[in-house]
């Protein structure tokens, strides 16, 4: 069943200039992106910085204003809902933020941070609330005694777990994870990722996983989309993208993944060189005269590529 | 909560409430001038406010032709002025009035400035534009002239009206200060997180952003408190402040415009001047300590 369907989503930011500060142009952060999320799957959005992947995620939770396009959540178009109309959907769509240092209010205790969504939507006595919070803390692997601590008393990984616990308390259906591990060191990354997968099974969660780390995305996602300059250039199952990249940008992205095996190092370097040459020669073939990627065309039932 | 030195230094440099009260207290204790100032200010204020309860205000303001310009004696500790009024009692009521005015102006400007700054900074866009243009307008008004005109045309001039007039012009600075801080604060992820969690805007402003700008507010509040004492005195000295029937530190110092008083009767104006000096200095020293407490890098404690 389709849980989330994004149709031709556009998020443009105005550039103001001139004497009267009129809108002279737009930054097309997201420029016509469409994809679908099945219930229970993990969909990855990859791309370089500034490619619009985070903006897409933020538009779905309405942190960015949608310029045009549809965001269908369980069949309802929530793209243009007012803040009052969107409120019931806030329960179902939650977000995990990239930076565990700024995403927790430094003045609040862990109890208040995790209880915030609960207090907005449900009524609990303080005793019940405390029990629920301790339950979730236990689930994310933190000591239930830490509810009276402040965020600065935790490490980055622990803080990110607090952020995850906060997004779980309302039992959402869809979680948008905006580079949830990019601020953590590698050992903690693996821990948090595995733990996100465990939670997915336990709570039947659907993830929209935004990231630039291809290794992480491969580990996590069933299907993925590659973004470049606000457009999707390739979409398919993770296997298809990694083993059979069709778009020149995807090829280059995949070639850039470092290999730990020293014996194939040379081989890899040559392959990378080749892709780089191809990139320079045929770059213009893959984009129209304005430098915009073409619309996606299916090359198999699951694999779509932006080709002319 | 056993906070050791290490956790304090790694904490983000903007911790004031609720564990912040501890940080403030430690900072004041470490700074000897701030500690002395706190004690002196406490003693002076308690003495002045409690003594003022036992003084008949009308009696102090009443002219007594039989005791004009008396030297200090056991009956009149600081002598009397040209109307035969007891200078010491005027000093007590004057200090109380001056401090109350300063406190009133500071509290009112803080409330108005805070609401305007928080709303303008948080919502941005049109709201911000309108509020900022109103502030620009108030700033361009010739303040001194307006105050002088208002003082002249208001028939019954009292402490309350003085507070209101000054507030009219002084809230703008605070609003701008708070707005600039809120602008940077609302871009942080915890504000975004609250929005996605379905927290209403007013709750985000009051319970999330306000505590995070509180250190700035406390410091600014204290330093303004000191400044506003001087403001009242200066205006009264120039004759545009309170009338003599409402004694203040300013009216006492204004007696020094008479060369004879200035030269031969220092006990009329000097105590009031020293009182201003003590109040402003001690509030300032406390303010400096608070300022350091608000910034982890400057802390001594």
């Amino acid at each position: 069943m389709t849980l989330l369907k994004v149709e031709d989503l556009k998020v443009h930011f105005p550039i103001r200039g001139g004497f009267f500060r009129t809108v002279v142009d737009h930054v097309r952060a997201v420029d016509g992106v469409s994809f679908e999320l099945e219930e229970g799957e993990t969909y990855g959005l990859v791309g370089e910085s500034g490619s619009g992947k985070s903006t897409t995620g933020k538009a779905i939770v309405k942190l960015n204003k949608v310029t045009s396009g549809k965001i269908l959540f369980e069949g309802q178009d929530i793209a243009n809902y007012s803040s009052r109309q969107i409120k019931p959907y806030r329960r179902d769509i939650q977000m995990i933020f990239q930076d565990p240092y700024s995403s927790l209010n430094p003045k609040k205790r862990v109890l208040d941070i995790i209880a915030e969504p609960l207090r907005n939507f449900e009524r609990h006595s303080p005793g019940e609330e405390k029990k629920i919070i301790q339950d979730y803390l236990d689930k994310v692997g933190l000591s239930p005694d830490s509810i009276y601590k402040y965020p600065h008393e935790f490490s980055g990984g622990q803080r990110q777990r607090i952020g995850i616990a906060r997004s779980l308390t309302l039992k959402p259906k869809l979680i948008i994870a905006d580079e949830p591990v990019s601020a953590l060191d590698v050992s903690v990354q693996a821990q948090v990722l595995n733990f996100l997968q465990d939670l997915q099974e336990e709570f039947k969660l659907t993830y929209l996983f935004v990231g630039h780390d291809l290794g992480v995305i491969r580990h996590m996602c069933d299907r993925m989309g590659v973004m470049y300059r606000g457009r999707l250039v390739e979409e398919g199952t993770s296997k298809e993208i990694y083993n059979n990249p069709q778009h020149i940008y995807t090829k280059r992205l995949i070639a850039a993944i470092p290999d730990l095996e020293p014996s194939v190092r040379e081989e890899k370097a040559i392959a990378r060189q080749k892709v780089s040459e191809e990139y320079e020669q045929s770059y213009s073939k893959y984009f129209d005269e304005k430098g915009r990627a073409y619309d996606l065309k299916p090359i198999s039932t699951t694999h779509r590529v932006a080709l002319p | 909560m056993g906070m050791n030195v290490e956790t304090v230094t790694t904490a983000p440099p903007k911790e004031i409430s609720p564990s912040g009260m501890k940080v403030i207290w430690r900072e004041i204790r470490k700074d000897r001038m701030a500690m002395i100032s706190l004690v002196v200010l406490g003693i002076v204020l308690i003495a002045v406010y409690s003594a003022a309860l036992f003084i008949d205000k009308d009696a102090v303001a009443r002219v007594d032709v039989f005791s004009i310009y008396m030297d200090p004696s056991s009956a009149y500790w600081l002598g009397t002025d040209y109307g035969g009024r007891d200078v010491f009692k005027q000093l007590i009521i004057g200090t109380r009035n001056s401090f109350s005015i300063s406190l009133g102006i500071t509290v009112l400007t803080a409330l108005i400035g805070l609401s305007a700054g928080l709303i303008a900074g948080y919502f941005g866009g049109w709201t911000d534009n309108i509020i900022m243009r109103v502030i620009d307008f108030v700033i361009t008004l010739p303040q001194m002239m307006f105050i002088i005109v208002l003082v002249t045309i208001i028939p019954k001039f009292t402490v309350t009206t003085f507070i209101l007039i000054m507030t009219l012009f002084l809230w703008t600075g605070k609003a701008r200060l708070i707005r600039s801080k809120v602008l940077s604060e609302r871009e942080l992820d915890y504000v975004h997180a609250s929005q996605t969690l379905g927290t209403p805007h007013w709750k985000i402003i009051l319970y999330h952003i306000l505590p995070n700008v509180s250190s700035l507010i406390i410091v600014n509040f204290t330093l303004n408190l000191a400044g506003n004492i001087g403001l009242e005195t200066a205006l009264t000295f120039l004759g545009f402040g309170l009338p003599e029937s409402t004694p203040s530190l300013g009216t006492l110092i204004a007696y020094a415009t008479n060369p004879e008083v200035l030269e031969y009767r220092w006990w009329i104006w000097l105590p009031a001047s020293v009182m201003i000096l003590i109040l402003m200095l001690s509030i300032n020293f406390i303010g400096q300590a608070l300022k350091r407490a608000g910034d982890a890098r400057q802390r001594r404690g």
Side-chain angles (χ1 to χ4, degrees), chain B residues 143-160:
Chain B
Q143 267 193 40
M144 204 42 98
M145 204 190 81
F146 262 81
I147 291 171
I148 291 169
V149 169
L150 283 174
V151 169
T152 340
I153 58 173
I154 289 174
K156 201 169 169 296
F157 199 66
T158 59
V159 171
T160 332

Side-chain angles (χ1 to χ4, degrees), chain A residues 66-133:
Chain A
V66 175
T67 311
S68 74
K70 284 181 181 165
I71 299 169
L72 297 162
F73 183 78
E74 292 182 323
Q76 287 285 332
D77 184 9
I78 58 170
N80 294 311
Y81 274 15
S82 69
S83 56
R84 186 165 306 150
Q85 283 171 305
I86 196 75
K87 196 158 183 208
Y89 294 92
R90 294 263 187 229
R91 289 191 74 138
D92 296 333
I93 309 176
Q94 283 295 321
M95 183 150 184
I96 300 172
F97 288 86
Q98 174 177 9
D99 181 5
Y101 294 93
S102 76
S103 62
L104 306 178
N105 190 339
K107 302 278 184 189
K108 298 261 175 202
R109 296 172 303 179
V110 171
L111 173 73
D112 299 314
I113 289 173
I114 303 183
E116 191 185 334
L118 273 183
R119 289 174 187 163
N120 286 336
F121 287 99
E122 291 165 23
R123 291 258 163 273
H124 292 288
S125 70
E128 274 171 7
E129 192 180 86
K130 205 172 131 189
K131 238 184 123 247
I132 298 172
I133 304 298

Side-chain angles (χ1 to χ4, degrees), chain A residues 211-224:
Chain A
H212 59 259
D213 188 328
L214 291 155
V216 168
I217 299 283
R218 168 145 66 172
H219 178 75
M220 287 297 290
C221 301
D222 311 310
R223 290 194 309 127
M224 56 188 278

Side-chain angles (χ1 to χ4, degrees), chain A residues 61 63 87 90 93-95 97-99 102-108 116-117 120-121 148 150 152-153 166, chain B residues 1 3 11-12 14-18 188-190 192-199 203 207-208 211-212:
Chain A
V61 286
L63 282 178
K87 196 158 183 208
R90 294 263 187 229
I93 309 176
Q94 283 295 321
M95 183 150 184
F97 288 86
Q98 174 177 9
D99 181 5
S102 76
S103 62
L104 306 178
N105 190 339
K107 302 278 184 189
K108 298 261 175 202
E116 191 185 334
N120 286 336
F121 287 99
Y148 294 121
Y150 287 88
H152 71 259
E153 296 171 62
R166 172 174 64 183
Chain B
M1 197 169 59
M3 275 220 300
K14 44 177 193 270
E15 303 276 297
I16 279 287
S17 70
L188 292 178
D189 271 344
Y190 73 86
H192 292 153
S194 289
Q195 286 165 355
T196 62
L197 295 169
T199 312
K203 261 190 184 168
Y207 299 132
H208 291 270
N212 280 297

Side-chain angles (χ1 to χ4, degrees), chain A residues 185-213:
Chain A
D185 63 70
V186 183
S187 59
V188 186
Q189 280 192 6
Q191 225 180 0
V192 172
L193 289 174
N194 289 335
F195 157 70
L196 281 172
Q197 283 182 325
D198 294 342
L199 288 176
Q200 181 167 33
E201 267 169 45
E202 191 180 339
F203 292 99
K204 305 265 175 296
L205 294 171
T206 310
Y207 287 132
L208 175 62
F209 213 89
V210 177
H212 59 259
D213 188 328

